[in-house]
Structures are given as structure tokens and as C-alpha cells.
Amino acid sequence: MSFRVELPQNFRQRLEDATGPLVGMWACAGSPTTAEILAASGPDWIMIDAEHSPVGLESTLDLLRAMAPYPATSVVRLPALDPVLIKQFLDLGAQNLVIPMIDNVEQAELAVASVNYPPHGIRGVGSALGRSSRWNLVNDYLNRAPEFISLTLQIESVEAVNNIVAISTLEGVDSLFIGPSDLAASMGYLGQQNHPEVVKTISHCIQVAKDAGKKVGINAFDPVQARDYVNMGVDFILIAADVQLLAKASQQLLADFRSE
């Protein structure tokens, strides 16, 4: 009996079908159990962080498998713009990539090329060996790969803001993700993500992305700030991280118990 293998809907498609902002959380601990708990709790999407967390290729594979049974869309933030890393993460089955520290259109073009096979890009061909195609069990994966992949570029520097029009209008870029922490630091407001000038700049970036017809998202652990960004029109948002939730809850539990 033949069995038809189909891949999950990608992040671009989830955003296109959404009737409101997609709400998500970070998976930073590198633990499949923690990631599965997050996925089971009901977020729209989960960002696996391979940039600032102890998450590599093998652990990303474990996290993707742990979250696969649940409706949340898995997105992976890579450590850097590197065609080799992009190829490896795609081949292990990461369909939705966020590339950090994109400052100009040349870097954006390299990112787009890296997620596409020739003649439209430079991605190496190894589908028969990779989970991306379920080892060639996905029908015609090589020609259909663009159906399965989404590319999000992270805007988090003054240079990126200055180039955001060119970046946001580039074909092949599905969405933009604003990083308030690094953007604040780049603007001279280290640790002040809610500084009025930072918020003003973020508002500008959101509007430019919307004008270009691109989906735009942001990270905001402050609930009040998160709702403000939703009101500004973001299409997707991260409101917490597994490690942050554990740290805050543990500290609060101990403080409450000791006070009694």
C-alpha cells in the first residue's frame, strides 16, 4: 500500500490564513520535553532559538520532532547568515527560518539565494539524504521546495532600519521580524527596549513592512508593550520564553512561600 507524505503548512501560509496576530513563545532551553510542553499549551507558533541558546543541529531535530504532533508552527532562528548552516537546517527539516542581523539588501539577497535550489539560488542538493523531503518520500520535493519553506529576516540595527525599504521589497522575503533588544543597543539605548525613540523606530519599521505587503513580527515580553505592538499592526509576536517562564515562576514561588 502506498503512503503519501505531506509536509505541514509553512509559516508564510499560516500568516496568510490568520485572522489575527499569531501569538508564540521561544524554545530556548534545548529540551524536547520543555518544547513539547510549550507546544501542548496552545501557542500559534514556537521559535526555536539557535542564536542565543545551546541549540544546534541535532537538538533542533529533536525539538522539531517533539513538537510535530501539535498545531503550533515551528520556526527556527539560525545563529547567523551562513549558506552552509541554512542548507543544514533546511535539510534536517526546518521549514521556517529566521535569519538574524540582516543589515542590508546584499545580505537579504544572500539569504534568499541560500534557501532556494539552482537556478534560483545556491542551496546544495541533498534531498535524498535529508528529513526535509522525508528522504524523498515527499513527491517531487526538489521542484516543490518553495511551497514548503518560509524565510523571515530579522531587523535589529540602525543600518537595517536605514535599508528596510529595500529589504522589505525584495522578492523571496516572506516576512520581517523586529528585534527590539539589539535595535535599542544599536540606537544607543542598551537595555531600554521601551525607550520612546526605540518604539518610534519600531513603529516606522512596522509601517514600512505593511506598505511593502510583507508580514511583520516582533518580540515583546512586557504584556503592555506586546499589546501596543499588536495595536500597531504586527502579524506575529513572541510573548515569552521557556527559560524566562521557569525563572520567573521559580523565583516567585520561593518568594511567596518564604513570605508566609
Side-chain angles (χ1 to χ4, degrees):
M1 181 180 70
S2 63
F3 179 75
R4 185 178 180 87
V5 178
E6 292 292 346
L7 296 180
Q9 192 178 42
N10 69 28
F11 195 48
R12 177 182 67 250
Q13 294 161 336
R14 282 293 308 273
L15 287 167
E16 290 172 351
D17 292 346
T19 57
L22 298 184
V23 181
M25 295 185 286
W26 292 91
C28 300
S31 162
T33 299
T34 303
E36 186 171 4
I37 290 170
L38 287 184
S41 69
D44 298 307
W45 68 294
I46 293 175
M47 179 97 90
I48 297 171
D49 185 23
E51 183 187 13
H52 290 295
S53 302
V55 176
L57 292 166
E58 291 84 358
S59 51
T60 296
L61 179 57
D62 290 339
L63 297 175
L64 290 172
R65 284 174 169 159
M67 295 188 287
Y70 302 93
T73 298
S74 297
V75 180
V76 180
R77 181 168 73 173
L78 269 61
L81 170 60
D82 182 333
V84 173
L85 282 176
I86 291 173
K87 173 180 62 179
Q88 290 180 296
F89 275 91
L90 286 175
D91 284 350
L92 66 78
Q95 291 177 241
N96 310 297
L97 303 185
V98 173
I99 310 300
M101 294 292 182
I102 298 298
D103 293 324
N104 53 58
V105 73
E106 291 79 18
Q107 292 173 341
E109 288 172 339
L110 178 58
V112 171
S114 297
V115 302
N116 286 287
Y117 289 122
H120 305 293
I122 60 173
R123 180 184 174 187
V125 180
S127 60
L129 307 176
R131 181 175 175 269
S132 56
S133 69
R134 299 305 187 266
W135 305 276
N136 271 352
L137 296 176
V138 173
N139 183 51
D140 197 25
Y141 176 84
L142 289 177
N143 290 311
R144 296 174 61 203
E147 298 176 24
F148 308 125
I149 296 168
S150 77
L151 176 64
T152 301
L153 303 183
Q154 190 155 335
I155 303 298
E156 48 188 336
S157 70
V158 171
E159 183 182 356
V161 173
N162 291 338
N163 293 310
I164 192 170
V165 173
I167 294 171
S168 62
T169 54
L170 182 65
E171 185 177 355
V173 176
D174 295 311
S175 55
L176 300 180
F177 181 70
I178 302 168
S181 295
D182 279 301
L183 179 57
S186 178
M187 293 177 64
Y189 301 111
L190 180 63
Q192 302 177 62
Q193 295 93 312
N194 294 340
H195 190 283
E197 288 300 316
V198 177
V199 174
K200 179 181 177 181
T201 301
I202 290 171
S203 178
H204 165 71
C205 292
I206 293 171
Q207 190 58 55
V208 170
K210 306 289 275 186
D211 290 344
K214 294 292 169 66
K215 302 297 185 180
V216 58
I218 199 166
N219 179 65
F221 288 175
D222 179 344
V224 174
Q225 189 67 70
R227 295 192 182 280
D228 286 344
Y229 288 138
V230 168
N231 292 333
M232 288 182 192
V234 295
D235 302 289
F236 56 104
I237 191 166
L238 292 165
I239 60 170
D242 50 6
V243 290
Q244 173 233 7
L245 291 172
L246 179 59
K248 289 183 67 175
S250 300
Q251 185 181 48
Q252 190 62 53
L253 177 63
L254 289 168
D256 291 345
F257 187 83
R258 286 167 175 158
S259 69
E260 295 172 1

